[in-house]
Amino acid sequence: MKPAPFEYHAPSSVAEAVALLGRGDGAQVLAGGQSLVPLMKARTVRPAALVDVNGVAGLDAIEERDGALQIGALVRLQALVDHPGAARSHPLLREAVRHAGHLATRHRGTVGGSLAYAAPWAELTAAAVALDATVELRSPSGPRSVPARSFFRGPHQTALQPGELVTGLSVPAQPPGAGAAFHEVSARYRDYAHVAAAATVAVDPAGACRAAELVLLRVAPAPHRVDVSGLVGTRLDDAALGALDAALAGLDPPGDVEVSGAHRRRVAPVLARRALRDAFARAGEHREAA
Ligand SMILES: Cc1cc2nc3c(=O)[nH]c(=O)nc-3n(C[C@H](O)[C@H](O)[C@H](O)COP(=O)(O)OP(=O)(O)OC[C@H]3O[C@@H](n4cnc5c(N)ncnc54)[C@H](O)[C@@H]3O)c2cc1C
């Protein structure tokens, strides 16, 4: 099927894009088009107008600024995976985003699109929450920053207001020597994740955990941050990780046409342990290398 008719705009600046989006005529942003175009072709969505941001200047850079990693909204997911600086400073980004679909979709799909679309399987959303990143937004009334931890509200639901543009993601510096890992289970290679776990662990000079984060995908309406503060001071041995069972006991994951909620409940603790253990081992490698 072909999309329903729509107006097409191709702004060259953020100001112009935001002005077009702010007209209130139901215009939608077109970024990589990997999610939006199939929906338009199925006529599931019928935007009156598209604001194609691919020609907007200044949104496609990855740079360190004020101690944080600044990732422009138009950075392609594969460019983030391939970026050596990002891999060094925030290895969880590469670990997570390399699972986001196939190479071709990662070469078109953008960071801003992944955040705005907020698909329940979107690996970047889990990494952004685990790393305590901030989503940068712009509307006709100016810029606004929203912590990832409150940006994602549910499947395809975010704090984004009508007419607002995602301009980037700001990721704070991580503790030196932190390790990261991401694991997911899907039906086939690079299919949508049924369950995923993102973890970061930092160790102290004696090799014990001094900070840890764990975020699960697809066990709750939005990326789910698990309280793993009980792991601080431990070496993530079986006894310490046993405490995870209590933290995960209350989860009631949704089922869908692919897998049941019960399956997700069984798989989540396995992936959680695997991600935390791998992150801890990598943190230890950094400590030994230092
Ligand atoms: C076969 C296939 C498999 C995939 N598998 C995965 C996967 O496993 N994991 C995963 O995470 N993704 C997956 N994707 C999705 C993909 O990688 C997309 O990158 C992502 O969902 C949307 O990014 P996009 O740039 O293509 O956005 P678009 O499709 O252009 O837009 C998606 C939505 O976000 C809005 N939007 C886009 N950019 C902005 C912005 N800057 N500000 C405000 N709103 C904006 C659009 O208006 C639209 O509503 C897959 C896609 C395909 C086709």
Side-chain angles (χ1 to χ4, degrees):
M1 220 191 312
K2 299 286 178 214
F6 56 88
E7 271 182 44
Y8 176 81
H9 305 281
S12 54
S13 68
V14 168
E16 208 187 324
V18 160
L20 287 161
L21 290 168
R23 296 193 312 185
D25 60 358
Q28 250 184 283
V29 175
L30 173 67
Q34 297 302 293
S35 300
L36 182 57
V37 170
L39 291 171
M40 287 177 65
K41 288 181 79 173
R43 299 204 176 191
T44 309
V45 297
R46 298 168 178 232
L50 285 186
V51 177
D52 180 347
V53 292
N54 285 280
V56 169
L59 294 184
D60 60 354
I62 301 178
E63 55 196 9
E64 264 191 64
R65 213 182 315 132
D66 305 328
L69 189 72
Q70 309 287 344
I71 308 168
L74 276 181
V75 168
R76 307 291 159 178
L77 295 175
Q78 188 60 31
L80 179 55
V81 171
D82 290 339
H83 194 272
R88 224 177 5 257
S89 63
H90 298 82
L92 183 61
L93 292 170
R94 170 185 278 178
E95 283 286 308
V97 175
R98 69 196 174 93
H99 292 273
H102 300 272
L103 189 60
T105 49
R106 289 197 301 276
H107 271 298
R108 285 303 301 164
T110 63
V111 164
S114 185
L115 298 170
Y117 190 55
W121 50 80
E123 291 85 356
L124 178 60
T125 65
V129 171
L131 295 170
D132 199 12
T134 299
V135 184
E136 307 294 350
L137 306 171
R138 189 80 64 88
S139 74
S141 39
R144 184 165 84 97
S145 302
V146 181
R149 289 177 182 173
S150 51
F151 184 75
F152 303 108
R153 305 266 165 93
H156 306 296
Q157 290 168 28
T158 67
L160 201 58
Q161 295 293 318
E164 247 179 341
L165 179 71
V166 175
T167 53
L169 186 70
S170 172
V171 196
Q174 297 300 291
F182 187 97
H183 288 290
E184 71 175 42
V185 165
S186 57
R188 287 166 298 270
Y189 180 72
R190 295 300 186 247
D191 265 11
Y192 298 129
H194 289 166
V195 185
T200 62
V201 175
V203 294
D204 65 21
C209 168
R210 69 182 163 89
E213 281 292 337
L214 173 67
V215 176
L216 300 176
L217 278 186
R218 310 212 70 180
V219 300
H224 180 71
R225 196 166 162 231
V226 180
D227 179 5
V228 287
S229 53
L231 295 176
V232 172
T234 76
R235 287 169 193 272
L236 274 69
D237 51 20
D238 287 345
L241 287 172
L244 266 183
D245 293 336
L248 300 177
L251 290 179
D252 186 17
D256 54 37
V257 288
E258 288 202 332
V259 287
S260 64
H263 176 73
R264 291 196 161 105
R265 201 164 36 242
R266 270 195 306 276
V267 171
V270 178
L271 294 187
R273 279 179 170 72
R274 200 175 289 168
L276 283 164
R277 278 210 172 99
D278 285 356
F280 180 69
R282 289 170 184 170
E285 286 162 18
H286 286 305
R287 191 175 62 92
E288 279 153 26

